[in-house]
Structure formats: structure tokens, C-alpha cells
Amino acid sequence: MSAVRRNAFLAIITLVFTYCDAMTDVAKALEVIMAGANGERAEVKTPATYVLTEDPMAKCLDGSQYGYFLCPETGGSEWLIWMQGGGWCYTDEECYARARTAKGRSESGTHKCPDPKHTKARVVFMEYCDGASFSGSVAQPVKHNGKEIYYRGLNNFDGTIAHLQKHHGLSEASRVVLGGSSAGGLATFYHLDRLMEKLPGVDLLGVPVSGFFLDYKSVFSDTSDKPSFADGAIPAAQMQNSQAVILDDCRSQFKPAESYKCLFPQDMAMYIRPRWFAINSAYDEFSLRYIAMVPCVNKDGNKRSSLKKSSCSKQEDDVIRDFGNKFLELFNNVIKDDRVFNGGYISSCISHGTFLGEINGKDSIEAFDEFVTQENKEIKYISKCGLAKTDGPCSREPICLPFPGGTPVPDGWDAYNRGRGAGALIQNGVTIIAVIAGILFCTCFWIRRRKKTPGQTQRRNRQGGGKRRRRISSGRGR
């Protein structure tokens, strides 16, 4: 192979691989985390290292020193800080019981880091052990049953960021994405502004997943023996002294007795200064269970595919539909912001924390990557499936039951792998091979023409000219 052909071939290969690998590092890191949360075989390399914070006030519910999981140095300048979820505890008694579990103590699990060949983003996993979305800030421990409980979620967040700045160069990052799922998604809304103050000059973005919880009342709210999340979160926030996470701009819009509204994204997210991209379902399963308190959702357990439309009464269907419509109304109101361009990826699946399939040809990770790179544009993908008055299929959102109607797909990742995994690999591979073949053919054709000698070109021109003259003469004779 000549030097010209070899260089052309290498340039084409580089171009193709650059095109296929054009996603930002933070989006690639988020892809691995979301895949791991959903059960897919993620591209992981090594376990994350557990690091204790140095702030003596940073403690889990049981009083153990708070720590976080840190992935190794990658040489990149982008960071993804991911906050775990796990619900809230509403009373001292509930938090005391929680303190005796993995959700109330430090170093309660393990985390695997993305393969550095897949992404150069530095990843941090913040374990969740405070029971109130990293918002509590009670200086003295609370006594219950002769034992001490510590409400220090806000201290845990601050202590982690301070430690990352002091020892790991977080302040020198070019881009930081703060995200989390469920209670961690709600914490993302709470802490974006706070993190912006700690990282001036850094491109800061938020990606709350399944954290857009509504302050919503349904006809079933008063029939349950347990408070809904909306009802339980308010006294819990007072118990944990969560006032510090309420934004001043939001607080000023309400009377003091109504400042609790600023705990819910529907009333506070428009006051967040950094840009954020919410990944959520309009029919979030946790919300249907614990906010709308829909009985047919509660009785079907946690399996995403178990909820059959026939198992819900008309009244239950109406509440589910009303909740979804209310979610979209409130979300669209919040996202309209003239100061910053926020975004969202809103599925119609009855699910929580899992977002598969596509909306308008993009999955949630691709949509988030578009949001990262398009800072002066509103990026919004909202599934219209389930909003019509009649039932309809939602074939582009597998592994869930869209509402209303649709056929639930059995649990597992086979359908997802067919869409984004093996099937997509084959489909994309064929496309890439065809593109490479076309480019190689054009390149070889161009090289061959460049290598023709001037004598060959002139001889062909003379021959062609003679033929043209004979045709013209022949035409005139007629």
C-alpha cells in the first residue's frame, strides 16, 4: 500500500471512529451508571475506592463517619457526581429503624467504575445514608430509644465536595455533572445552586433521574394507613432541619407557612441557576404508589411488567391519567425559563429509574448528550404515548407498561439489547461498513485519477475530442 493510500485509509478510519465515539465523556459515564442500575452488563473496569470525609459533622444516621466512593484518575477534566437514592424516613422512629440497616450506615456497598477506555470522566458515588435527600442539618444528635440518630445529610454533601476540592482537584474541572436517581434525583434539584457557589467558573449541569416528585393529592390519599410521600416529606424536612436547601428566590414567593412548597421541583426548579436535564416518567411508578397512592399499583409489587391494565378500576385509571397530565402540565411550566435552557426526557412508561427505548429516535442518554452540547437550546423529549383518549401501542419504549394500554414486555434486557445492544451493533456495523466502503471507493478513484500521467490525460482528451468532432460532423451531414 502506497503512503498516500495508507494515510487516506488511516484518516478514514479515524474519522469513522471519531464519529461513532462522539458522545461527551459525562454522557458515557451516565450511560454506564444507568445501565448498571437497570441490570445491564455495564462497561466497568475496577471497584471504586471508599474515601472517608474529613468533616466531623458529616455522619450517617447511625453516627458513622460519612464517606464516598471515588473512581481512579482518568486524565480527563469532566466529572460526574452521582447521589444514590433510597426513599425517606418520616419520623424519628422510622429513621432509627433505618439507621440499623445498610441505608443508615457508612460504607454500605460497593460500586464499579466505568472502563477508562469507554469514558475519561471522573466518577464519584455519594452513598445515601441520611434519609432526606442529603438535606438534614441538625447539629446535635437526636435521642430515640436510648440511641442517637444523626440528621446530617447536608453536612455529608458539603463534606464530600470539600474533600474532593482539597485532595482530588475538583475545582479544576472543566465540566461537572451533578446527578442522582430517586431521592438522589430530588437531591440534585436541592444542591445544584449550592454546588455552583462552591465551583465558580466551572460548567455545572444537573441530571436528576426520577426525582421530579409532585405535591399531589388524589382521592386515594386519605384511604391509606401510611402518609403519602408529599405528606410525609414536609414534617420530615422540619424534623431534619432541611431549611438550608430551600432557595431564597423560591422562599420569597410564598408565605412562611407555605415555604415547604419549595421542597418540590414543581415550585422550586425554575429558580435553579445552573442548567438541568430531568429524566423522568410522567407515570413514575414510585409516585403512583406513594404519592397518588393508587391501590392497583401498590398491590402489584415492584415488577415493572406486572401492572396489567385490567387490574385497575376505572377510578384508578382516571387517577393515573390525571397524575400523568398534571405532571406534564407542571413540568412544562417549570421548564419555561428565559434565563437558562433546561431540558427533559419524559417517558410514558410506568417505571421508576429505568428509561429504555427511544422518544423521537433518541434514548435518554443520547438526549442528555445533546443537552450537554447545546447550551443555547431547549432540549425536550416528551413521549406522547398514553396521553390519547384511546389505547395505543408504545413500541418504542420496551420493558415497561405504557399507560394507557400497550402490551407489557417480560422483565429482562433482551429487548433493550436488541435495541441498543447486539441488534443495534449489527445494524450500525452494516451501516459503518457501507460508509467505509463508499469512502474507500471514492478515495481510490480520486487517487487513481491523480496518478494519471499528463500524456495519458492529453491523449484521452484528444481521442475524446476526435470522437466528439466526428459526431458533430455526422450530425451536420444529416
Side-chain angles (χ1 to χ4, degrees):
M1 181 183 289
S2 68
V4 175
R5 291 183 180 180
R6 183 175 63 252
N7 293 338
F9 178 78
L10 292 175
I12 291 168
I13 295 298
T14 301
L15 178 64
V16 170
F17 276 94
T18 300
Y19 173 79
C20 296
D21 199 36
M23 190 177 291
T24 58
D25 280 323
V26 286
K28 292 178 190 176
L30 179 64
E31 179 182 37
V32 173
I33 290 175
M34 294 281 283
N38 294 336
E40 186 198 16
R41 181 180 59 82
E43 296 190 41
V44 296
K45 185 68 174 178
T46 57
T49 301
Y50 189 74
V51 182
L52 289 174
T53 58
E54 297 173 338
D55 184 354
M57 293 293 289
K59 294 185 182 297
C60 294
L61 286 170
D62 70 342
S64 56
Q65 182 66 21
Y66 182 78
Y68 61 91
F69 290 87
L70 178 66
C71 289
E73 175 65 53
T74 60
S77 61
E78 296 187 349
W79 288 68
L80 174 62
I81 302 174
W82 190 256
M83 294 179 286
Q84 288 182 293
W88 281 37
C89 49
Y90 302 144
T91 64
D92 289 337
E93 183 177 358
E94 288 184 4
C95 291
Y96 171 76
R98 188 184 182 102
R100 300 167 69 85
T101 70
K103 291 183 179 180
R105 60 174 180 264
S106 62
E107 199 171 5
S108 57
T110 59
H111 293 276
K112 294 291 185 68
C113 298
D115 189 334
K117 293 180 181 179
H118 180 68
T119 175
K120 294 298 183 184
R122 194 85 184 268
V123 178
V124 177
F125 298 96
M126 292 184 61
E127 63 178 350
Y128 180 46
C129 61
D130 66 277
S133 291
F134 298 88
S135 67
S137 57
V138 179
Q140 298 300 321
V142 175
K143 292 279 188 178
H144 185 80
N145 288 347
K147 301 289 185 180
E148 293 182 337
I149 315 170
Y150 293 79
Y151 296 138
R152 303 281 180 79
L154 186 62
N155 303 98
N156 296 344
F157 180 84
D158 289 346
T160 299
I161 300 304
H163 198 273
L164 290 170
Q165 288 178 297
K166 180 178 178 181
H167 298 285
H168 301 287
L170 178 62
S171 298
E172 282 71 52
S174 63
R175 174 181 290 141
V176 173
V177 173
L178 180 67
S181 181
S182 193
L186 183 59
T188 304
F189 286 114
Y190 288 166
H191 293 301
L192 270 173
D193 263 47
R194 192 176 190 86
L195 186 56
M196 185 185 74
E197 298 291 343
K198 299 176 183 296
L199 299 175
V202 175
D203 181 21
L204 176 62
L205 305 171
V207 56
V209 176
S210 296
F212 200 99
F213 298 117
L214 301 189
D215 183 9
Y216 177 89
K217 289 273 190 181
S218 81
V219 294
F220 302 114
S221 298
D222 297 328
T223 61
S224 174
D225 57 349
K226 288 187 176 181
S228 70
F229 174 76
D231 291 333
I234 298 167
Q238 294 171 341
M239 176 184 74
Q240 292 224 21
N241 189 30
S242 301
Q243 288 293 316
V245 302
I246 294 180
L247 301 177
D248 291 337
D249 287 345
C250 180
R251 193 195 309 270
S252 65
Q253 304 300 312
F254 298 100
K255 298 177 181 178
E258 295 182 330
S259 63
Y260 72 88
K261 291 180 179 292
C262 296
L263 294 169
F264 297 93
Q266 68 192 57
D267 289 311
M268 57 81 72
M270 69 280 287
Y271 300 108
I272 297 173
R273 287 172 291 173
R275 294 195 304 139
W276 51 265
F277 185 85
I279 301 176
N280 222 98
S281 172
Y283 305 97
D284 178 69
E285 186 175 11
F286 177 92
S287 298
L288 293 179
R289 290 178 190 277
Y290 301 113
I291 295 180
M293 311 291 281
V294 181
C296 68
V297 180
N298 277 311
K299 71 185 180 184
D300 277 314
N302 282 318
K303 292 184 179 180
R304 295 190 298 278
S305 63
S306 65
L307 182 63
K308 306 295 192 297
K309 182 173 172 56
S310 59
S311 68
C312 296
S313 67
K314 181 180 183 305
Q315 184 185 36
E316 291 167 331
D317 275 352
D318 289 343
V319 171
I320 294 173
R321 187 188 302 278
D322 180 70
F323 183 90
N325 288 333
K326 191 67 175 177
F327 179 96
L328 291 177
E329 175 190 341
L330 294 170
F331 181 79
N332 281 316
N333 287 341
V334 165
I335 209 171
K336 293 176 182 176
D337 192 333
D338 296 332
R339 301 169 303 150
V340 293
F341 290 94
N342 297 316
Y345 188 92
I346 308 302
S347 163
S348 61
C349 291
I350 296 180
S351 62
H352 182 70
T354 55
F355 298 91
L356 314 178
E358 297 176 350
I359 300 174
N360 296 335
K362 288 197 175 185
D363 63 28
S364 58
I365 304 301
E366 293 167 332
F368 171 69
D369 185 63
E370 181 184 359
F371 167 79
V372 172
T373 57
Q374 302 287 330
E375 62 182 66
N376 294 319
K377 180 182 177 183
E378 180 184 272
I379 306 299
K380 185 168 64 174
Y381 290 83
I382 296 181
S383 172
K384 300 299 182 183
C385 178
L387 302 180
K389 292 184 178 180
T390 57
D391 295 350
C394 294
S395 60
R396 302 302 291 172
E397 295 189 76
I399 319 300
C400 74
L401 177 63
F403 180 83
T407 302
V409 181
D411 280 334
W413 279 74
D414 290 342
Y416 178 72
N417 288 332
R418 287 195 298 270
R420 188 173 172 82
L425 181 62
I426 294 172
Q427 182 178 357
N428 293 338
V430 172
T431 302
I432 290 171
I433 291 172
V435 170
I436 292 175
I439 294 175
L440 285 174
F441 175 80
C442 295
T443 303
C444 292
F445 179 77
W446 176 77
I447 291 173
R448 287 176 64 85
R449 285 188 59 89
R450 293 272 296 179
K451 291 184 68 176
K452 289 176 183 175
T453 63
Q456 289 175 320
T457 304
Q458 292 173 5
R459 189 161 53 251
R460 290 198 176 190
N461 287 342
R462 285 198 300 271
Q463 291 172 354
K467 291 179 180 179
R468 285 195 298 273
R469 283 195 296 272
R470 283 196 293 274
R471 290 193 190 104
I472 293 172
S473 299
S474 152
R476 286 178 179 173
R478 289 181 187 145

